[in-house]
Amino acid sequence: MKESYVDIIKIRRMVFAEVARLAYEDVDLNHLEDSTYYLLPGERAIYRENIFRERAVIGERLRMALGMDVRSAGDMGPMHEGFDKIDINERVYEPPLVNVISFACEACPTKTVKVTNTCRKCLAHPCENQCPVNAITIEKTAAVIDQEKCIKCGKCIEACPYSAIIKYDRPCASVCGVNAIGSDELGRAKIDHDKCVSCGRCISECPFGAIADKSQIYQLIKAIKSGKEIYAIIAPSFVGQFGALTKPDQVIEGIKKLGIKDVVEVSLGADITTINEAKEYLEKVPDERPFMGTSCCSAWSFMVRKLFPKEYQYISDSSSPMIYTAQYVKQDHPNAQVVFIGPCISKKLEALEEKVAGYVDFVITFEELMGMFIAKDIEISDLEVDKNIQDASTSGRGYAISGGVADAVTSVAKELEPDREIKTECAQGLHECVKMMKLAKAGKKNGYLLEGMACNGGCIGGPGTLTSINRVRKDVTKFSEQSPYQTPFHNEKLNNLDK
């Protein structure tokens, strides 16, 4: 999406920027409809078949970015309806987090194997011969697949010498590793929220921009403007997100210009997680636990909790880097409020959990942060900085990339017990995470440290990111190597922390 879904990125960015502007300028939300005309002026549609549908869709995006519920075409009312519940200076959340804007959905076809017009009705009939359920017949002009019989095994696709048979699926459903996306009565995408873990992959992959999540930027800005002491903690994947010419320290300076007191790297919390998970693994695997899963990715953790409830006890007891970093801030500033800034949507749910809610007050993504920069007309690459951020070790900063957590934990465990053999396996994307857990459940991963990342590439591929994985991977690696601390044990900032 980051490379090619340019129009959808533009729409999301202008919605977040508009919501930030509404908050900063104290605009009366009773006139929220005016924003749809401001964002989509005139009578000519740009993205859809008519301007009325475009404005209706962007109106629901605005409502969700304000924290309000999405509506169907059958229950539309004034756009500002319910705004009194969200027009406050503290976190607002009404489930569900991820929603389909139903009248923006184009009811893409579900998983299907289809014969195209490239079919030559060849004499050998390899597709028919390979079909295990006799779903293919050769008719007058081409092969025909009986969709009621077809099991989508793909054997006909492999057998066809002309590549005349294709398999396709609706993009949102194809990337959902927990099979949470079905269809409503009109064939449009519908999320089963009992299954959904809010990884956000469907948001990134929908080519019609029909899926979105609720935001907290409006309430965050209200909190800043009210004079509350706000500290930001920023995920290690922030490096490289805000332009090729932008340095990490300029991003930190830009966040401060939004009215935030100070910024701490979440990689610092990653250092704490690394030490605790290394000790936990050495102490409990395999005597008390057959294997141990890492705690870093909340969507992976939610997936295990929902699909593998008996195995959930084997996810690390250690808190995630977000939690440890927030605790670090509140240890010195007990009255402060903390906003987590990262690539992840599921962190918005993690921050609501009982053991976390007292430490993390807001969660926003890099996309939402960019909207705030735009609203305040802050050009980050032009900012001057007087000091470099040095909160975390090389391994802590490496958490942003798939495999980084396992590498960090293994490295520390080896320092503690050099002779100990530590087997690791890493899965990226929930489809692969589910496969890994099935093997673990079957007893085939005993003794392993298992790292699960819901997003391909790890956190650098999260739904709230701004740029391509390959470029960010290089930037994160370079920034990691610049740390003054090689391992968490060298991180001087952890000396006085109550872990």
Side-chain angles (χ1 to χ4, degrees), residues 194-234:
D194 290 333
K195 293 181 179 179
C196 178
V197 296
S198 297
C199 69
R201 291 295 307 284
C202 57
I203 296 173
S204 298
E205 295 300 323
C206 176
F208 296 99
I211 311 177
D213 62 305
K214 293 175 180 175
S215 173
Q216 299 167 13
I217 54 175
Y218 184 83
Q219 292 76 28
L220 170 61
I221 295 168
K222 287 288 186 179
I224 293 170
K225 285 171 62 67
S226 71
K228 291 184 178 180
E229 188 180 21
I230 309 291
Y231 280 75
I233 58 176
I234 191 163

Side-chain angles (χ1 to χ4, degrees), residues 26-196:
D26 292 318
V27 175
D28 184 353
L29 292 185
N30 281 305
H31 303 291
L32 188 57
E33 284 88 351
D34 293 348
S35 291
T36 66
Y37 291 87
Y38 171 71
L39 296 176
L40 297 171
E43 298 183 12
R44 188 177 236 171
I46 302 173
Y47 307 109
R48 302 182 190 272
E49 72 278 8
N50 64 68
I51 193 66
F52 304 107
R53 187 180 180 204
E54 276 194 2
R55 288 198 181 115
V57 171
I58 211 161
E60 293 309 297
R61 281 191 165 278
L62 284 165
R63 282 176 54 87
M64 291 178 67
L66 285 162
M68 293 191 278
D69 283 332
V70 67
R71 304 170 298 178
S72 69
D75 61 7
M76 299 287 278
M79 267 190 64
H80 64 270
E81 191 173 54
F83 90 93
D84 53 311
K85 296 178 182 178
I86 60 90
D87 193 19
I88 58 176
N89 61 11
E90 58 187 52
R91 174 171 49 206
V92 169
Y93 176 65
E94 184 70 30
L97 177 62
V98 180
N99 297 264
V100 177
I101 304 172
S102 58
F103 50 85
C105 179
E106 295 291 336
C108 299
T110 54
K111 188 180 292 184
T112 304
V113 177
K114 180 181 180 180
V115 179
T116 69
N117 59 10
T118 311
C119 178
R120 310 310 299 159
K121 200 184 75 166
C122 55
L123 179 66
H125 301 176
C127 57
E128 183 181 31
N129 295 334
Q130 288 295 314
C131 181
V133 293
N134 298 318
I136 299 177
T137 55
I138 308 299
E139 299 192 355
K140 186 175 181 180
T141 59
V144 174
I145 299 175
D146 184 336
Q147 296 299 333
E148 292 186 1
K149 290 183 179 179
C150 179
I151 59 174
K152 284 84 175 175
C153 66
K155 290 185 177 181
C156 58
I157 298 173
E158 296 173 3
C160 179
Y162 292 101
S163 300
I165 307 176
I166 60 172
K167 183 178 183 179
Y168 58 84
D169 194 1
R170 54 173 49 159
C172 57
S174 68
V175 297
C176 181
V178 293
N179 299 317
I181 299 182
S183 301
D184 66 9
E185 66 279 4
L186 297 178
R188 302 170 302 191
K190 183 178 181 180
I191 299 173
D192 182 341
H193 295 289
D194 290 333
K195 293 181 179 179
C196 178

Side-chain angles (χ1 to χ4, degrees), residues 239-251:
V239 184
Q241 294 291 340
F242 297 89
L245 300 178
T246 302
K247 299 176 182 177
D249 300 298
Q250 290 177 310
V251 178

Side-chain angles (χ1 to χ4, degrees), residues 320-392:
S320 70
M322 177 182 76
I323 301 171
Y324 282 133
T325 311
Q327 290 173 342
Y328 173 89
V329 171
K330 294 215 173 184
Q331 181 172 289
D332 291 333
H333 309 281
N335 296 322
Q337 292 202 338
V338 174
V339 53
F340 171 84
I341 304 171
C344 186
I345 287 170
S346 67
K347 288 292 182 184
K348 295 178 182 181
L349 296 185
E350 182 185 357
L352 295 169
E353 300 208 315
E354 186 176 353
K355 70 175 184 178
V356 189
Y359 298 106
V360 181
D361 301 277
F362 299 97
V363 174
I364 65 171
T365 65
F366 299 139
E367 274 192 309
E368 293 162 346
L369 176 63
M370 178 60 87
M372 295 173 70
F373 286 146
I374 294 170
K376 292 293 285 182
D377 197 25
I378 296 173
E379 183 55 60
I380 313 170
S381 61
D382 291 341
L383 297 178
E384 294 184 4
V385 294
D386 55 6
K387 65 176 183 177
N388 297 325
I389 188 168
Q390 296 183 342
D391 291 333

Side-chain angles (χ1 to χ4, degrees), residues 393-432:
S393 73
T394 295
S395 58
R397 288 175 174 176
Y399 266 53
I401 301 172
S402 178
V405 182
D407 287 346
V409 174
T410 301
S411 176
V412 168
K414 285 289 188 181
E415 283 193 61
L416 295 171
E417 292 189 22
D419 297 330
R420 179 74 174 268
E421 180 188 3
I422 301 172
K423 297 182 288 185
T424 65
E425 184 165 330
C426 307
Q428 49 182 312
L430 284 180
H431 284 298
E432 295 304 313

